[in-house]
Amino acid sequence: MHTVQQTIQEHEDCLFARICVNNELGLHARPAARIAQEAQKFRCELRLEVKGQEVDAKSILDILSLAAARGSEITLKSRGSDARAALEHMMQVFSCALDEDA
Protein backbone atom coordinates (compact mmCIF):
# COMPACT_ATOMS: atom_id res chain seq x y z
CA MET A 1 0.00 0.00 0.00
CA HIS A 2 1.24 3.47 -0.88
CA THR A 3 0.54 6.74 0.82
CA VAL A 4 -0.03 9.45 -1.75
CA GLN A 5 -0.38 13.14 -1.19
CA GLN A 6 -3.66 13.88 -2.89
CA THR A 7 -2.87 17.44 -3.89
CA ILE A 8 -0.91 18.75 -6.80
CA GLN A 9 0.95 21.94 -6.01
CA GLU A 10 2.56 24.59 -8.20
CA HIS A 11 6.06 25.96 -7.81
CA GLU A 12 7.56 28.42 -10.28
CA ASP A 13 7.31 26.70 -13.68
CA CYS A 14 6.32 23.19 -12.59
CA LEU A 15 3.66 21.16 -10.85
CA PHE A 16 4.61 18.68 -8.17
CA ALA A 17 3.26 16.12 -5.72
CA ARG A 18 4.91 14.18 -2.92
CA ILE A 19 4.59 10.41 -2.80
CA CYS A 20 5.80 7.92 -0.21
CA VAL A 21 7.09 4.53 -1.34
CA ASN A 22 5.58 1.88 0.89
CA ASN A 23 6.11 -1.34 -1.01
CA GLU A 24 8.40 -3.77 0.79
CA LEU A 25 11.33 -3.75 -1.64
CA GLY A 26 11.20 -0.10 -2.69
CA LEU A 27 11.59 0.90 -6.33
CA HIS A 28 13.29 -2.18 -7.72
CA ALA A 29 13.33 -3.16 -11.42
CA ARG A 30 9.66 -4.09 -11.85
CA PRO A 31 8.10 -0.93 -10.40
CA ALA A 32 10.80 1.21 -12.04
CA ALA A 33 9.90 -0.28 -15.43
CA ARG A 34 6.22 0.35 -14.79
CA ILE A 35 6.84 3.98 -13.76
CA ALA A 36 8.98 4.66 -16.83
CA GLN A 37 6.46 2.98 -19.14
CA GLU A 38 3.59 5.06 -17.77
CA ALA A 39 5.62 8.30 -17.78
CA GLN A 40 6.47 7.79 -21.46
CA LYS A 41 2.79 8.15 -22.34
CA PHE A 42 3.04 11.92 -21.78
CA ARG A 43 4.75 14.68 -23.73
CA CYS A 44 5.64 16.76 -20.69
CA GLU A 45 8.86 16.50 -18.75
CA LEU A 46 8.46 14.22 -15.71
CA ARG A 47 11.11 14.13 -13.00
CA LEU A 48 11.48 12.20 -9.75
CA GLU A 49 13.42 13.64 -6.83
CA VAL A 50 14.63 11.79 -3.75
CA LYS A 51 16.87 13.49 -1.18
CA GLY A 52 18.00 16.15 -3.65
CA GLN A 53 18.76 13.70 -6.48
CA GLU A 54 16.51 14.40 -9.47
CA VAL A 55 16.13 12.00 -12.40
CA ASP A 56 14.08 11.48 -15.57
CA ALA A 57 10.91 9.52 -14.72
CA LYS A 58 10.90 8.10 -18.26
CA SER A 59 14.20 6.24 -17.72
CA ILE A 60 14.27 2.91 -15.88
CA LEU A 61 17.98 3.25 -15.15
CA ASP A 62 17.53 6.75 -13.78
CA ILE A 63 14.73 5.57 -11.48
CA LEU A 64 16.84 2.65 -10.24
CA SER A 65 19.71 5.03 -9.49
CA LEU A 66 17.52 6.69 -6.85
CA ALA A 67 17.66 3.49 -4.76
CA ALA A 68 14.34 4.56 -3.25
CA ALA A 69 13.69 2.19 -0.37
CA ARG A 70 10.48 1.65 1.52
CA GLY A 71 9.50 4.86 3.28
CA SER A 72 11.32 7.13 0.83
CA GLU A 73 9.52 10.34 0.01
CA ILE A 74 9.54 11.10 -3.70
CA THR A 75 8.72 14.44 -5.24
CA LEU A 76 7.18 13.97 -8.66
CA LYS A 77 7.58 17.07 -10.84
CA SER A 78 6.12 17.84 -14.25
CA ARG A 79 6.47 20.64 -16.78
CA GLY A 80 4.68 21.00 -20.09
CA SER A 81 1.36 21.02 -21.86
CA ASP A 82 -0.04 17.85 -20.27
CA ALA A 83 1.72 18.26 -16.91
CA ARG A 84 -1.39 18.11 -14.72
CA ALA A 85 -2.80 15.05 -16.48
CA ALA A 86 0.58 13.35 -16.22
CA LEU A 87 0.86 14.02 -12.49
CA GLU A 88 -2.66 12.79 -11.83
CA HIS A 89 -1.96 9.62 -13.80
CA MET A 90 1.39 8.99 -12.14
CA MET A 91 -0.12 9.45 -8.69
CA GLN A 92 -2.57 6.69 -9.59
CA VAL A 93 0.28 4.52 -10.86
CA PHE A 94 2.14 4.93 -7.58
CA SER A 95 -0.97 4.22 -5.53
CA CYS A 96 -2.19 1.18 -7.47
CA ALA A 97 0.33 -0.37 -9.81
CA LEU A 98 3.46 -0.79 -7.74
CA ASP A 99 2.25 -3.62 -5.56
CA GLU A 100 4.89 -6.29 -5.47
CA ASP A 101 2.26 -9.00 -5.72
CA ALA A 102 1.02 -7.63 -9.08
Side-chain angles (χ1 to χ4, degrees):
M1 169 165 276
H2 303 269
T3 302
V4 177
Q5 181 179 353
Q6 295 298 318
T7 60
I8 295 174
Q9 300 177 20
E10 292 185 47
H11 179 70
E12 297 177 359
D13 65 338
C14 76
L15 300 175
F16 71 94
R18 290 195 174 85
I19 299 166
C20 184
V21 176
N22 287 329
N23 56 320
E24 190 69 28
L25 300 176
L27 295 186
H28 60 86
R30 189 171 357 133
R34 176 74 178 181
I35 292 165
Q37 180 182 38
E38 295 297 326
Q40 290 170 11
K41 294 178 178 177
F42 296 91
R43 291 182 308 253
C44 66
E45 177 185 10
L46 278 166
R47 310 281 296 172
L48 298 175
E49 180 184 329
V50 175
K51 297 180 181 175
Q53 181 183 359
E54 189 172 306
V55 301
D56 184 355
K58 298 178 181 180
S59 166
I60 296 168
L61 292 178
D62 280 9
I63 296 167
L64 290 173
S65 74
L66 292 173
R70 181 180 184 161
S72 297
E73 183 177 297
I74 295 176
T75 301
L76 180 60
K77 300 177 179 178
S78 65
R79 292 180 181 87
S81 60
D82 55 354
R84 184 169 295 275
L87 266 188
E88 290 171 352
H89 180 74
M90 295 307 294
M91 289 170 69
Q92 284 297 318
V93 169
F94 271 90
S95 67
C96 300
L98 298 180
D99 293 337
E100 293 173 340
D101 295 336

